[in-house]
Amino acid sequence: MMSASPCEVCLARGNGKHFGVDACRGCTSFFRRTVVNKRQYKCSEDESCDIENSESLLCKKCRFEKCLKVGMKKESIQNHRDIYGRRNPQKSILPSPSTSSKLQYPIPTTIISTIKQNYSQLQNVRVVVHAMEGGSMFLKPAPRGQSYKETYRLLLREFYLVADWISNSFPHFTELPTSQKDILLRNFYLTFYNLEAGFFACQKSRVDIWFLPNGNFINCHNLESFYHDENNMQPMTSADAAKLFKGTCTGCKRNVLIPMLRENVTQFEFLALAALILFDTGLEGQSDSCIELCRKVRNKVQKEMIYHYSTMRKTEDFALRMANILSIIPSVQKASQKMQEDLELGHLFNAYSAEKTFFENCMGKR
């Protein structure tokens, strides 16, 4: 059997003919969404991005122009299609309200709306708390690169702020035994930290630096400055530390920043992902009642996502959009696992390590 020709837009593995040219699934969906939703894009460079470069796919303007250049035809798009791509305006991939007993409409987005409201409050609290670290309540300082010590202190402060945000957002969470809340929170925290950095990347349209909750950042291209510590003797130089722990930064960029920016994750989607990550199941030490609660919350969140895409946002190919968004979760978890391993490695060898309280509170390590 002959393999499909490569995508004429980005040279990725093709998926057959679409809109008149050989194209991959990603470029096909991108072209359809752009035309159907009549989207307009701008290039941050000079409209000459190399779309064959994976990072250049982030430039939607140049990607769409490349689609047109290779011959994709707008008139070939069919707005009403079933999941197999054939014209079928009578059928929908959504269950009908009259025939489905499991998914009733309308579904109020109560969970995510509550999270959103409390997330806004979290942002306001952050301004006050982080300004207490030598800043001013009335002057917003310019963002700057942080060191590893500053970042660890920031993460420790953030742990309590995020825990409070969770308690206010999920009443059922507060009803769990303390041991179960600890399991969920410590499994959640570093992953949420990485997920939120990806959301910041979407807001800033940048993947070269790692934005932090206080407005500062980690310069991914100059990790040596991140590990610079002239006041303490370390078992390795900052240059060696940058090489040793570079994998964490590279993995976060590859698995979190770039995928989230490529999908242009919205705040609604970011908060939905946060809820799904928090209420994980099958964790070590998790009780049956806790797992059951997590399953119920996850089901509600996913129903709210379906309702949001199909009714509120009216997303074209919303099933594909939702699948792409949900696929971000294992990628973020993978990056977080690598980060945790490097944190523990540094702690083991006492090299650029966080304080003991960080490991005890944020990671549950003794």
Side-chain angles (χ1 to χ4, degrees):
M1 181 181 294
M2 296 181 61
S3 59
S5 300
C7 175
E8 295 183 45
V9 179
C10 68
L11 298 186
R13 183 178 180 180
N15 187 46
K17 288 282 186 181
H18 297 279
F19 311 131
V21 303
D22 290 304
C24 64
R25 290 180 183 272
C27 289
T28 300
S29 298
F30 167 77
F31 184 74
R32 181 186 296 114
R33 289 196 304 269
T34 300
V35 174
V36 171
N37 296 324
K38 299 179 181 179
R39 294 177 178 173
Q40 300 292 325
Y41 305 121
K42 291 183 179 180
C43 177
S44 60
E45 301 296 334
D46 57 357
E47 298 190 8
S48 60
C49 299
D50 180 11
I51 301 304
E52 297 174 10
N53 182 316
S54 61
E55 290 191 23
S56 295
L57 286 175
L58 300 175
C59 180
K60 297 180 180 180
K61 170 69 173 178
C62 292
R63 188 182 188 184
F64 184 62
E65 292 299 327
K66 181 70 177 293
C67 290
L68 296 175
K69 183 178 179 180
V70 299
M72 281 193 172
K73 299 179 176 61
K74 296 180 181 180
E75 58 271 20
S76 298
I77 293 179
Q78 302 169 357
N79 291 332
H80 301 290
R81 310 186 318 156
D82 62 18
I83 58 176
Y84 298 104
R86 302 186 183 93
R87 293 182 65 89
N88 195 350
Q90 284 75 33
K91 292 186 178 181
S92 168
I93 60 177
L94 267 178
S96 168
S98 60
T99 59
S100 173
S101 61
K102 294 184 178 180
L103 194 59
Q104 300 295 325
Y105 292 92
I107 299 175
T109 54
T110 54
I111 292 181
I112 301 178
S113 295
T114 301
I115 304 172
K116 181 179 178 180
Q117 180 180 357
N118 287 312
Y119 184 71
S120 297
Q121 294 177 1
L122 170 64
Q123 299 290 61
N124 293 332
V125 172
R126 280 171 164 169
V127 173
V128 177
V129 171
H130 299 315
M132 294 171 63
E133 292 293 307
S136 170
M137 287 289 298
F138 307 104
L139 295 176
K140 186 176 181 180
R144 62 176 180 82
Q146 286 200 172
S147 68
Y148 78 98
K149 281 187 175 180
E150 292 174 312
T151 302
Y152 291 153
R153 288 197 296 267
L154 169 67
L155 288 177
L156 186 56
R157 291 196 304 272
E158 278 284 315
F159 178 78
Y160 299 105
L161 298 181
V162 171
D164 189 57
W165 168 58
I166 290 173
S167 297
N168 291 329
S169 300
F170 301 100
H172 293 303
F173 179 85
T174 60
E175 298 172 4
L176 289 170
T178 300
S179 61
Q180 298 300 302
K181 287 190 286 190
D182 285 345
I183 290 172
L184 294 181
L185 181 58
R186 289 182 173 124
N187 176 70
F188 170 78
Y189 181 59
L190 280 183
T191 307
F192 173 74
Y193 163 70
N194 288 323
L195 179 73
E196 190 175 35
F199 177 59
F200 292 152
C202 293
Q203 293 180 311
K204 306 288 187 180
S205 296
R206 294 186 64 175
V207 297
D208 56 322
I209 59 179
W210 188 266
F211 289 100
L212 299 170
N214 63 352
N216 292 331
F217 58 87
I218 298 172
N219 189 339
C220 299
H221 295 304
N222 187 14
L223 287 179
E224 188 172 344
S225 64
F226 176 72
Y227 289 108
H228 180 68
D229 188 358
E230 60 184 14
N231 297 322
N232 292 282
M233 292 293 295
Q234 297 286 349
M236 66 179 73
T237 65
S238 57
D240 289 336
K243 292 178 182 178
L244 179 62
F245 300 122
K246 182 180 179 181
T248 290
C249 199
T250 302
C252 287
K253 179 180 178 180
R254 180 179 61 250
N255 295 315
V256 182
L257 302 188
I258 291 178
M260 290 185 69
L261 184 54
R262 181 184 295 123
E263 294 297 335
N264 194 22
V265 174
T266 66
Q267 186 184 63
F268 178 93
E269 292 167 332
F270 156 63
L271 295 174
L273 291 176
L276 294 173
I277 291 171
L278 172 63
F279 290 96
D280 203 352
T281 58
L283 301 175
E284 184 177 353
Q286 197 173 14
S287 67
D288 291 341
S289 59
C290 180
I291 291 174
E292 183 60 25
L293 171 64
C294 290
R295 289 182 64 253
K296 289 180 179 179
V297 174
R298 291 172 65 87
N299 287 340
K300 289 181 180 179
V301 170
Q302 291 179 85
K303 286 181 180 180
E304 289 187 13
M305 292 179 72
I306 293 175
Y307 177 72
H308 173 77
Y309 287 132
S310 62
T311 306
M312 305 296 292
R313 188 170 166 176
K314 300 185 185 300
T315 304
E316 175 76 8
D317 283 345
F318 80 85
L320 178 61
R321 173 67 180 180
M322 185 168 173
N324 287 339
I325 294 300
L326 293 179
S327 70
I328 291 173
I329 292 179
S331 296
V332 179
Q333 290 172 329
K334 180 180 179 181
S336 302
Q337 180 63 36
K338 172 60 176 172
M339 176 178 288
Q340 181 170 332
E341 290 172 356
D342 280 355
L343 286 170
E344 292 177 352
L345 182 65
H347 187 59
L348 178 64
F349 292 101
N350 195 28
Y352 302 95
S353 176
E355 297 178 359
K356 183 180 179 181
T357 51
F358 172 85
F359 286 91
E360 291 180 348
N361 290 278
C362 301
M363 299 171 62
K365 303 291 183 180
R366 301 294 179 184

